[in-house]
Amino acid sequence: MGRRGDRRQLLLLCMTLANAMVLVDQTAVPLALPDILHQFSVSSQQVQWVLNGSLLPLASLLVLGGRLGDLLGRRRVFLIGTSVFAGASALGGLAPTFMILLAFRVLQGAGGALMLPNTVAIVSSAYGRSEEGRALGLMGGAAAVAGALGPTIGGVLTAALSWRAVLLVNVPL
């Protein structure tokens, strides 16, 4: 395959992992909500904001994340988004109060919005027209499988360790 092919495969793997990380986070966190509710003594309506706090900025800033990638460079915006996402995951996992957890979940969603559109753009530009669809299909399929495994991952981490592990698992990835 050659050096260029190996680099493209590594790039595809990294972008797939980034997509999967965001999807797993969104599907794993719901399993941690009962423990978060108990630890911080909040209501069931309040604890739902742990999900909404991340989903709202993720969904509403996706187009902006893609546009910033066009203007400032896809790699740069992707790396900023990854740093924000991972940092917010770590700080959210260590949050001493519910409000601090919410603040970092919002930041985590914003970081994801910078990451996701740029993963697609980076993979698209790395592969030619004839291979682009296959590469994006592999990336999307693998990320979807990871997202489907999110509830299992969230349940296992919460039961075996703590709800905090559900957020902290993003940091090494």
Side-chain angles (χ1 to χ4, degrees):
M1 174 166 291
R3 190 173 179 176
R4 186 175 193 283
D6 292 344
R7 288 179 56 194
R8 288 190 321 175
Q9 286 181 342
L10 180 60
L11 178 76
L12 180 60
L13 177 64
C14 291
M15 296 301 107
T16 300
L17 183 59
N19 264 327
M21 187 170 55
V22 174
L23 292 173
V24 166
D25 181 76
Q26 296 304 323
T27 59
V29 168
L31 280 286
L33 293 182
D35 287 19
I36 294 170
L37 181 146
H38 177 72
Q39 179 165 351
F40 292 118
S41 299
V42 295
S43 71
S44 59
Q45 289 86 13
Q46 289 172 307
V47 82
Q48 289 301 313
W49 280 102
V50 174
L51 293 178
N52 296 338
S54 177
L55 282 172
L56 289 172
L58 177 64
S60 63
L61 298 175
L62 272 174
V63 173
L64 177 62
R67 183 65 178 142
L68 288 174
D70 292 341
L71 295 173
L72 304 174
R74 294 173 182 130
R75 182 175 185 261
R76 175 182 293 155
V77 174
F78 169 77
L79 291 173
I80 291 168
T82 302
S83 298
V84 168
F85 186 88
S89 294
L91 294 169
L94 300 172
T97 69
F98 184 72
M99 293 308 291
I100 291 173
L101 172 60
L102 285 183
F104 286 117
R105 287 290 290 165
V106 170
L107 198 56
Q108 194 180 22
L114 296 177
M115 289 170 58
L116 285 179
N118 288 293
T119 61
V120 174
I122 289 168
V123 168
S124 291
S125 66
Y127 286 83
R129 290 276 183 210
S130 63
E131 299 173 301
E132 177 184 16
R134 182 171 175 241
L136 290 174
L138 285 169
M139 182 175 77
V145 168
L149 293 173
T152 302
I153 294 167
V156 168
L157 288 174
T158 301
L161 300 170
S162 159
W163 68 264
R164 295 176 184 280
V166 176
L167 295 177
L168 293 172
V169 75
N170 293 325
V171 178
L173 296 176

